[in-house]
Amino acid sequence: MENQNRRVATLTLDDGRSIELPIMSGTLGADVIDIRELGKLGMFTYDPGFLSTASCSSEITFIDGDAGLLYYRGYPIEQLAEHSSFLEVCYLMLNGELPDAQQHEAFGNKVTRHTMVHDQLVRFYNGFRRDAHPMAVMVGVVGALSAFYHDSIDISNPAHREISAMRMIAKVPTIAAMAYKYNTGEPFMYPKNSFGYVENFMYMMFGTPCEDYVPNPVLVRALERIFILHADHEQNASTSTVRLAGSSGANPYACVSSGIAALWGPAHGGANEAVLKMLEEIGDISRAAEFMAGVKDKKYRLMGFGHRVYKSMDPRASVMRRTCYEVLRELKLEDDRMFQMALELEQIALKDDYFIERRLYPNVDFYSGIVLRALGVPTNMFTVFFALARTIGWVSQWSEMIADNERKIGRPRQLYQGAVRRDYVPIDRR
Ligand code: SDX
């Protein structure tokens, strides 16, 4: 008997044909209309930018853009940022549950023992100019990892998926720090197994062979929180890129490399770098009002503001603002002019109808650049830090997709607006 509880959306065309499309509900969030049968009508849906399209089902991250909620495996981001560690979030994202003490230790030890990269990989850096943008280096070197692990890129093998995930969680920080050192001309720093994950990354970034590196626990905790905030974010542009690449069966290293490339764009992960450039161009807090008038005249975009999903405050931005203040206070930079300017721009926007009507609020990128700059990170490394943190999200979403028996190669359709059929005209008759 037809399931009486089955909910459907009935689509009726202007020629009288109609189709019943099943309505599906998740555990949280909006229902979806399953349009997979729509092809029977010889029609497709049209949704450039996927504003109203769910590309997959997932159990990893949930966002409520109106309420400003972000959950990783059901845990609110504010609680994870306050109480968890980045490695614990990595375990949670990959496995679906928080680890117990024994699982947490074993996971951390496994990651630690994969932080070194093959010594041949070092040669890839020499192929780049010293002033190469570190994101270009990341795309190249992470993609090249697949050339070193032919023994474990059978994506149908769960053990190969697991070791690939561990290698990327462990090696991306090493590759990122090497990209920075290559830019500065300082020697590469090998990972130090006695350091924790974030300490080790800061050691490889800011340590030198000439003296002992003593991590500042306040700054380490701040960076740990920044990584937690950036770990995953549903089907954003870079994660969707990783899923689409992975749907063809490409190896995980190549898929993550494609995610890094997509993240680089200023509308996406490149926004934190764009925020700093914007603040530097404004120059002084006295010019904030003039700049905001220019934004309303559509002369500029207020970088770090607005979001496709969040139509209220990005919950990560609130945690980031607090982290920003903690770091500046620790470094005795509370009156940092960039921070003061950012706070002024936010205050102006939160009271101005132009931004309120368009539901434009600070996103995760608005304050992150200011914190990273205060930590001594050069602007061209900001998105590298974002990519380092998002690697766990990409890898977890990729693993979830590969393990899905319903997986199909991603192949969107189109609305064709080009020339209709016509015959070839020889050049002497054109
Ligand atoms: C990230 O998807 C994710 O989850 C991404 C991310 C993640 O964790 O993976 O959260 C990380 O990418 C955060 C976003 C970082 N990008 C920026 O900060 C760049 C600046 N923001 C915008 O370019 C924009 O807000 C987007 C790209 C983030 C979202 O754009 P949408 O949803 O496509 O919205 P839109 O461009 O259609 O804008 C709607 C209106 C327009 O005005 P009108 O044409 O209606 O008059 O809002 C205006 C836009 O002009 N608008 C802005 C604005 N963002 C949107 N106006 C000024 N400044 C802005 N930043």
Side-chain angles (χ1 to χ4, degrees):
M1 182 175 79
E2 181 73 6
N3 175 353
Q4 297 306 318
N5 298 325
R6 180 172 171 268
R7 295 172 60 208
V8 295
T10 303
L11 178 64
T12 303
L13 303 181
D14 49 9
D15 62 7
R17 289 180 300 155
S18 72
I19 186 171
E20 286 194 346
L21 299 168
I23 294 175
M24 300 166 71
S25 298
T27 47
L28 290 172
D31 291 342
V32 297
I33 298 173
D34 181 345
I35 57 168
R36 283 175 285 187
E37 295 298 309
L38 192 58
K40 286 177 181 167
L41 292 181
M43 285 192 171
F44 309 128
T45 57
Y46 182 68
D47 186 16
F50 309 117
L51 283 94
S52 305
T53 297
S55 61
C56 63
S57 70
S58 178
E59 300 176 6
I60 298 173
T61 297
F62 173 72
I63 299 172
D64 180 326
D66 291 325
L69 303 178
L70 168 57
Y71 300 156
Y72 293 160
R73 298 286 190 180
Y75 294 99
I77 191 65
E78 297 84 352
Q79 296 181 21
L80 292 170
E82 188 63 30
H83 304 298
S84 188
S85 70
F86 182 68
L87 271 191
E88 184 176 74
V89 166
C90 288
Y91 183 98
L92 170 67
M93 209 156 271
L94 269 177
N95 299 292
E97 298 296 335
L98 288 168
D100 61 27
Q102 192 270 330
Q103 290 164 330
H104 188 277
E105 186 182 2
F107 185 78
N109 290 338
K110 201 181 280 187
V111 169
T112 298
R113 273 152 188 73
H114 283 283
T115 50
M116 273 215 298
V117 293
H118 193 294
D119 230 31
Q120 291 290 109
L121 207 75
V122 173
R123 299 183 183 203
F124 283 99
Y125 289 78
N126 295 329
F128 291 100
R129 288 174 30 158
R130 282 283 183 180
D131 61 354
H133 194 292
M135 282 297 279
V137 176
M138 293 294 289
V139 171
V141 177
V142 171
L145 283 175
S146 53
F148 290 80
Y149 299 114
H150 293 294
D151 65 328
S152 55
I153 47 175
D154 170 5
I155 61 170
S156 63
N157 181 334
H160 286 197
R161 294 203 295 269
E162 202 257 350
I163 185 61
S164 302
M166 299 307 286
R167 280 175 170 148
M168 276 190 276
I169 296 165
K171 295 181 194 304
V172 165
T174 307
I175 291 167
M178 289 168 73
Y180 170 67
K181 289 299 195 188
Y182 186 72
N183 258 180
T184 61
E186 291 179 5
F188 295 145
M189 298 298 285
Y190 280 80
K192 207 178 184 75
N193 289 358
S194 57
F195 278 144
Y197 186 87
V198 176
E199 279 180 337
N200 189 32
F201 175 60
M202 293 180 84
Y203 164 70
M204 292 188 289
M205 279 284 298
F206 303 119
T208 73
C210 315
E211 54 193 30
D212 291 340
Y213 178 78
V214 180
N216 175 324
V218 172
L219 304 187
V220 170
R221 183 62 202 150
L223 190 54
E224 181 122 51
R225 203 182 291 152
I226 290 171
F227 286 166
I228 291 171
L229 295 177
H230 286 82
D232 193 46
H233 214 237
E234 285 191 359
Q235 306 311 317
N236 58 84
S238 52
T239 299
S240 299
T241 302
V242 170
R243 279 182 172 260
L244 195 56
S247 72
S248 74
N251 73 72
Y253 306 99
C255 295
V256 168
S257 173
S258 71
I260 295 171
L263 186 74
W264 195 358
H268 188 14
N272 50 22
E273 183 174 349
V275 168
L276 256 288
K277 285 199 177 91
M278 173 184 77
L279 293 173
E280 279 157 0
E281 280 162 14
I282 295 172
D284 187 86
I285 197 167
S286 60
R287 295 191 54 234
E290 175 197 347
F291 175 79
M292 293 297 261
V295 171
K296 289 160 67 174
D297 291 340
K298 295 192 186 286
K299 285 183 200 157
Y300 335 102
R301 280 238 152 170
L302 183 56
M303 300 312 279
F305 257 69
H307 199 278
R308 173 60 59 72
V309 176
Y310 290 122
K311 300 308 175 187
S312 60
M313 189 73 165
D314 180 335
R316 302 169 297 176
S318 311
V319 179
M320 194 63 80
R321 187 197 304 117
R322 177 161 56 80
T323 303
C324 195
Y325 185 72
E326 285 172 12
V327 168
L328 294 173
R329 187 178 55 206
E330 173 68 16
L331 297 173
K332 299 179 177 37
L333 294 171
E334 293 97 320
D335 60 354
D336 175 88
R337 66 187 183 83
M338 292 285 190
F339 185 49
Q340 297 306 323
M341 217 186 311
L343 289 172
E344 176 69 10
L345 292 173
E346 181 181 357
Q347 284 312 307
I348 294 172
L350 294 180
K351 295 172 190 145
D352 188 303
D353 287 344
Y354 179 91
F355 299 93
I356 294 167
E357 283 159 11
R358 290 168 179 77
R359 304 175 76 184
L360 299 177
Y361 295 86
N363 60 49
V364 68
D365 292 299
F366 190 59
Y367 288 101
S368 61
I370 299 166
V371 189
L372 294 175
R373 175 177 164 274
L375 291 173
V377 180
T379 308
N380 69 2
M381 281 292 291
F382 288 2
T383 311
V384 172
F385 276 52
F386 194 153
L388 185 163
R390 187 52 56 89
T391 293
I392 182 57
W394 291 328
V395 161
S396 302
Q397 298 266 355
W398 169 81
S399 296
E400 181 180 66
M401 176 194 65
I402 298 299
D404 179 350
N405 297 325
E406 281 195 352
R407 169 166 63 97
K408 286 186 176 306
I409 187 168
R411 206 283 185 213
R413 306 306 296 268
Q414 65 171 15
L415 173 66
Y416 178 68
Q417 301 268 45
V420 296
R421 188 194 179 285
R422 53 186 171 166
D423 294 325
Y424 181 77
V425 178
I427 194 162
D428 56 4
R429 286 169 38 201
R430 287 174 203 160

